[in-house]
Amino acid sequence: MRRTVFNEDHEAFRATLRAFIEAEVVPVYEEWYAAGIVPRDFYYKLGELGVFGIEVPEEYGGAGEESFKFQAVITEEAARAGVSFGGSSVHVALCLPYLKAYATEEQKKRWLPGVASGETMFAIAMTEPGTGSDLAGMKTTAKLSEDGTHYVLNGAKTFITGGVHADRVIVCARTAPPKEDDRRHGISLLVVDTRSEGYAVGRKLDKMGLKVSDTAELSFSDVKVPVEDLLGEEHKGFSYLGQNLPQERLGIAVGGYAQAKAAVRFAQQYVADRTVFGKPVAAFQNTKFELAACKAEVDAAEAVVDRALEAHDAGELTAAEAASAKLFCTEVAHRVIDRCLQLHGGYGYMNEYPIARLYADNRVNRIYGGTSEVMKMIIAKDMGL
Ligand SMILES: Cc1cc2nc3c(=O)[nH]c(=O)nc-3n(C[C@H](O)[C@H](O)[C@H](O)COP(=O)(O)OP(=O)(O)OC[C@H]3O[C@@H](n4cnc5c(N)ncnc54)[C@H](O)[C@@H]3O)c2cc1C
């Protein structure tokens, strides 16, 4: 089916990005993969290309676009080429919306130009060793100093994407104890300078997939955070998180769909070349049926993603709809990538083949940004169950 979700600007951006990936990423991707990290310089290149500034308002050095569809194009093109840009999607697709929505004018002037250029890389730290799905249970604290000039931050975070390269991290911390009738009260967002004394980056975590993404542990020991770096109102952080999670989940849904589509493409190429029992694997009826079934699932995911993208750009995507899109598209991707890997036989298990990396990379889509089980809870609640 013809996609109507992208306009000429989106498609022009896609063409530029595709050429950039071919020229600047594909030739060096094996080095990144072996090193387990995207080189810091690459983020300056994304800044120069305008990738980071698309949704940054013009007065702060960006292009001032409002459409989230540009982020979808980035995700689709990276998946198509079988590459990843590391923590850069967290930088723009996750962190930037918080800054645009809740930063003061003075804060925007300080931070947004660096977001657009790639000079100030952002990450967001919600998850803690003891709590992920149940964010209201977080233990990291930020106590206001007696003179009211700064917060004193103590605690630890884990699984933080972009945690090694980050220059600023939006840290979710308790500035007040929970209320008896509201566990979510008392959480605030602090934009912490990673060069602060007492701020430490722990292990770069060894993951089964997303090898070029720098996922790290962070710890804070009496880190002084100026009150000027509080994002939004004190104690209201949880509601801010709730407002941005639908976009994060839509982004993951797009990722699942795009990876499933790429898997079908990789498998179709592979089975045409591989000969077994004297004929191409593509000639077996089972292969055709498997790929046809996968294509049908990808088409369905595409329809869901496109409707959700339209709804989101129109400001209408609800939390339950975003959860539904994430749940569906990531479960489709899980099934499709597994079946496409199977068609590769043993080579599908080798990391030098993109399908093996896709298999490992995709697994986390059903976990981060809220697990599939949490998505079901949100949908069920919306159904009145
Ligand atoms: C590669 C990677 C990158 C990440 N990047 C970031 C990041 O940049 N920033 C950040 O803050 N976090 C990040 N995360 C954390 C991620 O969002 C959490 O891992 C996720 O929310 C799940 O939390 P958890 O790992 O603590 O699992 P848990 O909450 O301990 O869940 C364990 C199991 O219990 C299930 N469960 C939980 N609650 C319920 C319930 N009520 N009913 C039924 N089942 C339930 C879950 O579905 C899961 O199966 C990242 C994680 C990974 C793996």
Side-chain angles (χ1 to χ4, degrees):
M1 278 169 280
R2 189 169 61 87
R3 296 181 85 186
T4 53
V5 72
F6 297 113
N7 65 23
E8 277 177 11
D9 291 344
H10 300 122
E11 292 305 343
F13 176 65
R14 185 190 297 282
T16 305
L17 195 64
R18 191 173 289 184
F20 173 79
I21 290 173
E22 281 304 317
E24 301 280 346
V25 183
V26 172
V28 290
Y29 197 69
E30 287 310 311
E31 286 166 35
W32 296 6
Y33 191 82
I37 196 160
V38 171
R40 183 66 176 78
D41 285 356
F42 178 66
Y43 292 141
Y44 295 117
K45 285 189 184 174
L46 287 179
E48 269 173 42
L49 192 69
V51 168
F52 286 155
I54 298 167
E55 290 177 70
V56 172
E58 286 177 44
E59 60 269 39
Y60 309 110
E65 295 285 353
E66 291 293 332
S67 171
F68 184 68
K69 292 175 189 173
F70 289 100
Q71 297 306 323
V73 169
I74 299 170
T75 304
E76 289 185 7
E77 288 305 309
R80 182 183 176 278
V83 301
S84 155
F85 291 174
S88 68
S89 67
V90 166
H91 173 66
V92 270
L94 256 72
C95 296
L96 178 59
Y98 287 101
L99 303 179
K100 281 169 68 177
Y102 307 114
T104 62
E105 188 54 36
E106 182 276 325
Q107 290 174 331
K108 285 180 183 168
K109 278 189 185 139
R110 267 198 290 144
W111 297 326
L112 293 187
V115 170
S117 67
E119 270 160 57
T120 315
M121 290 302 293
F122 271 77
I124 182 159
M126 300 176 265
T127 308
E128 300 186 354
T131 189
S133 304
D134 180 21
L135 278 180
M138 69 177 64
K139 299 272 187 291
T140 296
T141 55
K143 282 198 181 136
L144 192 59
S145 61
E146 280 184 8
D147 61 6
T149 58
H150 61 270
Y151 291 93
V152 181
L153 182 68
N154 280 291
K157 299 284 179 180
T158 193
F159 302 153
I160 307 310
T161 304
V164 174
H165 278 318
D167 301 292
R168 287 266 176 177
V169 177
I170 303 174
V171 176
C172 312
R174 279 221 159 270
T175 40
K179 288 182 178 166
E180 244 178 54
D181 59 343
D182 182 8
R183 294 177 66 231
R184 298 168 170 194
H185 170 82
I187 289 169
S188 301
L189 307 186
L190 298 172
V191 179
V192 180
D193 185 336
T194 61
R195 293 164 304 181
S196 308
E197 204 173 312
Y199 179 103
V201 179
R203 285 184 303 152
K204 181 167 82 64
L205 297 164
D206 182 16
K207 307 183 294 299
M208 68 183 278
L210 295 181
K211 291 290 186 189
V212 304
S213 177
D214 51 321
T215 310
E217 294 174 326
L218 307 178
S219 69
F220 321 113
S221 320
D222 291 331
V223 177
K224 280 187 181 176
V225 183
V227 285
E228 291 79 18
D229 291 349
L230 172 72
L231 189 62
E233 284 184 53
E234 201 183 38
H235 309 327
K236 295 214 173 145
F238 204 96
S239 70
Y240 301 156
L241 297 179
Q243 282 160 36
N244 275 295
L245 280 171
Q247 175 169 303
E248 176 178 353
R249 288 170 182 158
L250 171 59
I252 297 169
V254 175
Y257 148 70
Q259 288 181 333
K261 187 172 178 177
V264 173
R265 202 165 68 86
F266 294 142
Q268 202 169 342
Q269 284 164 357
Y270 182 82
V271 295
D273 293 342
R274 176 75 174 168
T275 302
V276 183
F277 293 111
K279 54 182 178 181
V281 175
F284 296 112
Q285 188 185 48
N286 176 66
T287 304
K288 294 175 186 179
F289 280 9
E290 282 295 280
L291 286 175
C294 287
K295 167 79 166 53
E297 290 224 71
V298 170
D299 283 350
E302 185 175 271
V304 168
V305 155
D306 286 359
R307 266 191 83 185
L309 283 169
E310 292 292 16
H312 186 55
D313 268 14
E316 292 167 2
L317 187 74
T318 67
E321 287 163 354
S324 188
K326 178 182 188 283
L327 177 67
F328 182 76
C329 293
T330 59
E331 297 287 341
V332 162
H334 173 64
R335 290 191 294 272
V336 165
I337 295 169
D338 185 57
R339 291 166 92 169
C340 289
L341 187 150
Q342 188 71 15
L343 293 174
H344 282 69
Y347 293 95
Y349 199 67
M350 300 297 136
N351 275 330
E352 65 197 86
Y353 282 78
I355 193 73
R357 295 179 188 181
L358 264 189
Y359 183 83
D361 289 356
N362 172 69
R363 186 62 185 86
V364 78
N365 283 337
R366 290 156 63 217
I367 298 170
Y368 66 10
T371 62
S372 287
E373 293 72 30
V374 170
M375 297 306 103
K376 287 176 192 165
M377 282 165 55
I378 295 168
I379 299 163
K381 194 173 168 204
D382 187 62
M383 292 166 71
L385 297 170

